[in-house]
């Protein structure tokens, strides 16, 4: 057992004691990868996202609520980003946020967890499973209690009404249906 009163031993891991944590804006990435022209990948991220993680007394009862600003999408190419904000894709003016609410921890093995939750994009909500890796917990040099994590999932964008595409003369389509979501971050104890 560690002598730090803000962490505890659980199932071979050192995890935070129960409490509320906020996503550290300086240490986060909410990214995605999609196929382009059937031959390459486009990577991007949402630069504005918040999340509250509530660590339960029973760690398997922990939860997360996240909000992503749709207009903050960035792929490093302004014309593409502007197109992604339109009604062809995110329709950011009408649907300014993407939302995630966890519904439970489906399973865990070591530091790997499967988190289920509801993802809402453009007022369409679907259940998704995130493969979450708990990266560790401790105290920063600035006196903050933190923990790190990464998470991935894959969605079919058409399930959320993101159906725009262009057929290619050579066969296939301009934008792939599957989108891999990649999240990495640190969370800071609030209470």
């Amino acid at each position: 057992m560690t002598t730090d009163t803000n962490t505890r031993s659980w199932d071979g891991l050192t995890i935070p004691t129960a409490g509320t944590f906020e996503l550290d804006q300086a240490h986060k990435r909410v990214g995605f990868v999609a196929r382009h022209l059937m031959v390459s990948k486009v990577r991007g991220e949402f630069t504005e996202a918040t999340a509250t993680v509530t660590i339960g007394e029973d760690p398997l009862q922990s939860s997360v609520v996240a909000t992503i600003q749709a207009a903050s999408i960035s792929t490093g190419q302004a014309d593409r980003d502007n197109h992604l904000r339109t009604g062809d894709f995110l329709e950011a003016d009408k649907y300014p946020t993407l939302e995630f609410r966890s519904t439970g921890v489906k399973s865990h093995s070591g530091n790997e967890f499967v988190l289920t939750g509801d993802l809402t994009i453009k007022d369409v909500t679907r259940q998704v499973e995130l493969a979450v890796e708990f990266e560790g917990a401790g105290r920063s040099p600035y006196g903050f209690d933190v923990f790190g994590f990464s998470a991935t999932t894959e969605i079919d964008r058409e399930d959320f009404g993101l159906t725009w595409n262009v057929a290619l003369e050579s066969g296939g389509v301009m934008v792939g249906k599957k989108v891999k979501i990649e999240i990495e971050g640190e969370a800071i104890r609030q209470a």
Side-chain angles (χ1 to χ4, degrees), residues 8-115:
R8 58 190 163 154
S9 291
W10 177 79
D11 201 26
L13 300 172
T14 299
I15 65 168
T17 55
T20 303
F21 292 74
E22 296 289 329
L23 184 63
D24 182 352
Q25 294 301 301
H27 299 97
K28 68 157 175 43
R29 181 175 185 278
V30 179
F32 61 89
V33 180
R35 300 283 294 169
H36 182 250
L37 298 176
M38 309 300 292
V39 298
S40 66
K41 295 177 182 174
V42 170
R43 294 182 183 278
E45 68 181 303
F46 292 92
T47 59
E48 296 176 31
T50 59
T52 300
V53 180
T54 303
I55 302 294
E57 287 295 337
D58 174 353
L60 298 179
Q61 297 300 312
S62 299
S63 62
V64 62
V65 175
T67 301
I68 300 164
Q69 298 301 316
S72 75
I73 195 165
S74 175
T75 63
Q77 208 281 326
D79 289 341
R80 178 174 44 227
D81 295 346
N82 289 332
H83 187 207
L84 291 170
R85 293 181 187 110
T86 71
D88 285 346
F89 289 97
L90 295 173
E91 204 168 351
D93 289 341
K94 185 174 181 180
Y95 305 103
T97 61
L98 294 76
E99 307 281 336
F100 175 80
R101 289 189 172 276
S102 66
T103 55
V105 177
K106 181 176 177 179
S107 63
H108 91 283
S109 175
N111 69 330
E112 296 178 355
F113 297 78
V114 176
L115 181 68

